[in-house]
């Protein structure tokens, strides 16, 4: 929580499992039935929206950017999710699933990062995408 600006209900990652700054990061999201986006949805119809799976991947990219030294203290730098390319969705997360998200840094230049991300649930692909992020000092 001290390394990214997101808070409940928009915080979509639970734990950073491993990281090699400047190279890659792995985080997890435990999907529960009590998620804000499931409110009012019948139990048998609960599926995490794809746009939120993409946002969780973007937050994963933000964690990698932070630990790679691209950002100063939180509140002094701001990171923008600048773009997504070649996005593909697979298995949709449902309550009880653990979504494992991984991002790899492809390159950085003048505060712009290009990253490759993927997510899986029990080995089944949930998302793959190429992401762009921009970091600016305030």
């Amino acid at each position: 929580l001290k390394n990214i600006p997101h808070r409940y209900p928009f915080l979509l990652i639970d734990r950073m499992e491993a990281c090699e700054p400047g190279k890659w990061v792995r985080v997890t999201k435990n999907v529960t039935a009590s998620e804000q986006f499931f409110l009012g949805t019948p139990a048998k119809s609960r599926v995490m929206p794809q746009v939120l799976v993409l946002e969780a991947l973007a937050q994963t990219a933000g964690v990698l950017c932070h630990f790679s030294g691209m950002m100063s203290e939180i509140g002094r730098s701001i990171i923008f999710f600048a773009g997504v390319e070649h996005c593909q969705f697979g298995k949709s997360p449902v309550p009880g699933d653990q979504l494992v998200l991984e991002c790899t840094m492809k390159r950085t230049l003048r505060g712009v990062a290009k990253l490759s991300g993927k997510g899986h649930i029990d080995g089944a692909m949930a998302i793959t995408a190429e992401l762009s992020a921009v970091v600016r000092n305030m």
Side-chain angles (χ1 to χ4, degrees):
L1 283 175
K2 66 183 178 181
N3 298 313
I4 62 173
H6 300 87
R7 296 293 176 262
Y8 179 83
F10 204 61
L11 179 62
L12 296 173
I13 56 178
D14 293 326
R15 175 184 293 181
M16 181 177 72
E17 297 290 329
C19 179
E20 188 173 340
K23 296 192 179 187
W24 60 271
V25 68
R26 180 181 319 113
V27 305
T28 57
K29 165 67 178 157
N30 297 311
V31 182
T32 66
S34 63
E35 303 283 355
Q36 182 78 20
F37 48 83
F38 288 145
L39 293 179
T41 306
K44 292 185 179 185
S45 302
R46 293 181 180 163
V47 175
M48 185 173 177
Q50 290 177 335
V51 70
L52 295 181
V53 175
L54 178 59
E55 174 61 28
L57 189 62
Q59 290 180 16
T60 302
V63 169
L64 180 57
C65 289
H66 173 76
F67 282 102
S68 297
M70 291 184 67
M71 301 175 70
S72 63
E73 296 178 35
I74 293 296
R76 301 198 186 236
S77 291
I78 188 164
I79 187 165
F80 297 97
F81 177 36
V84 61
E85 297 177 299
H86 312 293
C87 185
Q88 294 182 338
F89 294 99
K91 182 177 180 181
S92 296
V94 297
D97 284 344
Q98 183 176 64
L99 178 60
V100 178
L101 299 158
E102 299 174 350
C103 273
T104 304
M105 188 76 72
K106 292 172 69 176
R107 67 181 179 272
T108 61
L109 181 64
R110 290 185 229 135
V112 178
K114 294 286 189 174
L115 306 107
S116 177
K118 62 184 178 180
H120 59 88
I121 303 162
D122 294 327
M125 188 270 288
I127 187 172
T128 61
E130 303 294 319
L131 306 169
S132 301
V134 178
V135 177
R136 293 293 180 249
N137 290 326
M138 296 175 64

